[in-house]
Amino acid sequence: MVSIGVFWGYSFVTSFDQEGIGRYFFRLIEGLLSKRVYQMKVAVQPCNYDELERVLQPLQRSYGVNLELIKFTHVRDLNRRANVDIWIVPYVSLDNALQLSKPFLLCLHDLVYRHPYLSEIYRSKYPEACARLELLAPLMCQRAAAVIFNSNYILQYDGLEGMGLPRWKTALIRTSAPVEEFQLFGMLSERRFRQKYNLMQPYFLFPSAVRDHKNHYRLAQAFLNFLHTREGRRSNLQLVFTDHAQNHPLGGEIERLVQSCSIVAHRSSVRFIGRIPSHDLPSLYRYAKGTIVPTLFEGSLPFPILESLTMNTPLAVSRIPVTTELVSDMNSFNDFDPYSLAEMQAAISKLWRADPSVVERQKQELNAVLQRRWSDVAAEYGLVIANVLRLSN
């Protein structure tokens, strides 16, 4: 049995439950364990141990000794204690992975600070972090035995061109719909869910932490503009964000925007409900009138697209490369330019009027991706792992 380590080497508190990378690895771990030929060992710093123990508890109940959490402080101690054949490193900024004694796969989700339109924002707001990544990313890519990408766009732009990686050292492994995960979580009744989160009105949803490139501010603007129309006033619609406004400076800007709205009744229509636990996500999507994904940039097809369609909830989405490389008919997705308030408002209106045929067309357009399971993702990881271990022996 091959022993695979997941190096969750964050030295600060981070979420394995409510952030995209964490949820990606929850699904990947489950997919690999389902093969019954791998042992999984998740190495975690003390500050995140309790969180991971809680989140991974359902998988530990299912897979027993084949899933182990290892608490560590120093990597040299981890190298002695963790008897693994290969590591998977989830994020390019985890520089302590350079001390691992066994080969590792690096998951390069994206290097957002390098990309058009966003480079100026990130380099001006976070100059030290960007400078650090400019030095660290090439080192991590050089040290990695293989580098995994989730979209062809990022593989080309950040991998082959940006990092100068040889093609043989890269692998394109796309994500999967969260069918198994959502089945594991189950559903709340609509009444219980709406009462729990005080969502008694119809709502549109954007499930994401507030980040500069996620485009929450423009979405809030476009939504308020929609509410000023006759159709919007009649809708009684709310816009739900799954974060706390105070978690990011942009949250405060959004709150000031909302409070400046001339119609007082509309000020309560933009809701920050906080980061909800993953087990409530299926219900959050199922009872939404629609999901809006306004992001300026992603490293792969945005998770909310697959999650929403899994729960039969229609979408309006921004036109960005990682989506257009998989969706041939963007019009079926009520698409919009993420920099255009007018296009975004029009998409909100179209989504509000969407009938059940809309989500069926969207599901058909992404049928091949929706048919993928995390066991398929795990099988593709398995091929890369087998090749690395063959070459290293």
Side-chain angles (χ1 to χ4, degrees):
M1 186 171 281
V2 176
S3 181
I4 303 172
V6 175
F7 185 73
W8 201 253
Y10 293 90
S11 58
F12 53 87
V13 175
T14 187
S15 175
F16 201 77
D17 190 27
Q18 298 160 348
E19 292 276 2
I21 291 177
R23 290 173 56 218
Y24 175 93
F25 274 89
F26 179 96
R27 295 167 180 175
L28 178 59
I29 289 167
E30 182 179 22
L32 287 165
L33 287 169
S34 72
K35 297 296 181 184
R36 304 289 179 175
V37 294
Y38 302 116
Q39 282 186 324
M40 301 298 301
K41 299 184 179 183
V42 183
V44 57
Q45 298 265 28
C47 60
N48 290 305
Y49 184 85
D50 290 344
E51 158 78 354
L52 261 69
E53 185 177 48
R54 177 186 66 80
V55 173
L56 293 176
Q57 194 172 54
L59 297 184
Q60 287 190 307
R61 285 197 295 265
S62 297
Y63 296 101
V65 296
N66 285 333
L67 175 60
E68 179 185 356
L69 267 70
I70 302 174
K71 187 188 298 184
F72 78 98
T73 302
H74 302 292
V75 178
R76 62 178 180 273
D77 178 51
L78 180 65
N79 286 330
R80 290 194 301 269
R81 293 170 47 218
N83 184 23
V84 301
D85 299 302
I86 191 169
W87 290 98
I88 302 176
V89 176
Y91 190 47
V92 70
S93 74
L94 295 177
D95 59 343
N96 47 359
L98 294 169
Q99 302 171 46
L100 292 170
S101 59
K102 292 295 179 71
F104 68 79
L105 309 184
L106 173 64
C107 296
L108 189 55
H109 299 281
D110 60 71
L111 295 172
V112 63
Y113 69 91
R114 297 185 61 253
H115 287 256
Y117 308 111
L118 297 170
S119 178
E120 185 176 342
I121 294 173
Y122 275 85
R123 291 177 191 276
S124 62
K125 283 191 173 184
Y126 317 105
E128 293 182 2
C130 291
R132 177 176 177 272
L133 274 174
E134 283 194 327
L135 294 173
L136 180 59
L139 290 175
M140 292 286 285
C141 288
Q142 182 181 16
R143 171 71 171 78
V147 184
I148 309 296
F149 298 87
N150 302 138
S151 70
N152 188 57
Y153 172 66
I154 297 299
L155 188 157
Q156 295 287 336
Y157 193 96
D158 285 338
L160 303 182
E161 298 173 19
M163 296 293 103
L165 286 169
R167 172 68 79 164
W168 62 264
K169 197 174 182 177
T170 69
L172 172 61
I173 302 179
R174 298 194 185 277
T175 55
S176 160
V179 175
E180 301 99 331
E181 183 187 21
F182 279 12
Q183 288 174 345
L184 180 68
F185 294 151
M187 290 277 295
L188 295 173
S189 70
E190 183 170 2
R191 179 180 179 183
R192 183 180 173 193
F193 175 80
R194 289 185 178 276
Q195 288 178 338
K196 182 175 180 178
Y197 291 100
N198 190 26
L199 294 174
M200 309 311 294
Q201 298 169 217
Y203 64 91
F204 281 167
L205 170 68
F206 179 35
S208 170
V210 175
R211 298 283 187 271
D212 289 87
H213 62 278
K214 297 293 186 177
N215 214 18
H216 287 75
Y217 188 90
R218 281 193 188 87
L219 177 55
Q221 277 186 303
F223 181 75
L224 290 172
N225 290 347
F226 168 74
L227 292 183
H228 277 78
T229 67
R230 184 179 182 184
E231 180 182 42
R233 288 193 300 271
R234 289 179 171 181
S235 71
N236 198 33
L237 189 61
Q238 292 187 331
L239 175 63
V240 172
F241 294 138
T242 55
D243 202 350
H244 295 287
Q246 63 269 28
N247 280 359
H248 193 281
L250 281 175
E253 293 180 26
I254 296 168
E255 287 204 316
R256 287 189 290 274
L257 168 71
V258 172
Q259 293 308 311
S260 70
C261 181
S262 59
I263 301 177
V264 175
H266 291 172
R267 297 176 188 173
S268 60
S269 295
V270 177
R271 299 277 309 279
F272 285 87
I273 65 170
R275 300 191 179 187
I276 75 170
S278 292
H279 57 73
D280 282 347
L281 278 176
S283 304
L284 179 69
Y285 281 105
R286 173 64 59 83
Y287 305 130
K289 177 70 175 174
T291 303
I292 306 176
V293 186
T295 182
L296 303 171
F297 169 88
E298 294 293 337
S300 65
L301 185 73
F303 274 170
I305 292 178
L306 296 175
E307 292 169 341
S308 190
L309 293 180
T310 296
M311 300 311 297
N312 291 311
T313 298
L315 292 141
V317 304
S318 59
R319 290 189 300 275
I320 56 175
V322 294
T323 302
T324 58
E325 75 176 55
L326 288 172
V327 178
S328 58
D329 178 17
M330 286 297 293
N331 186 57
S332 66
F333 278 79
N334 303 313
D335 66 311
F336 54 87
D337 175 353
Y339 294 93
S340 169
L341 286 175
E343 285 195 25
M344 200 180 296
Q345 181 183 336
I348 290 170
S349 177
K350 287 172 67 177
L351 187 61
W352 172 246
R353 289 183 266 113
D355 61 42
S357 68
V358 171
V359 73
E360 292 307 315
R361 290 199 303 273
Q362 292 175 346
K363 289 173 68 174
Q364 186 59 41
E365 184 68 27
L366 276 176
N367 183 60
V369 183
L370 290 170
Q371 293 303 312
R372 276 173 67 81
R373 295 293 177 263
W374 279 88
S375 58
D376 299 319
V377 178
E380 293 171 24
Y381 266 88
L383 293 175
V384 177
I385 288 168
N387 187 55
V388 168
L389 293 179
R390 177 179 60 83
L391 293 174
S392 62
N393 289 333

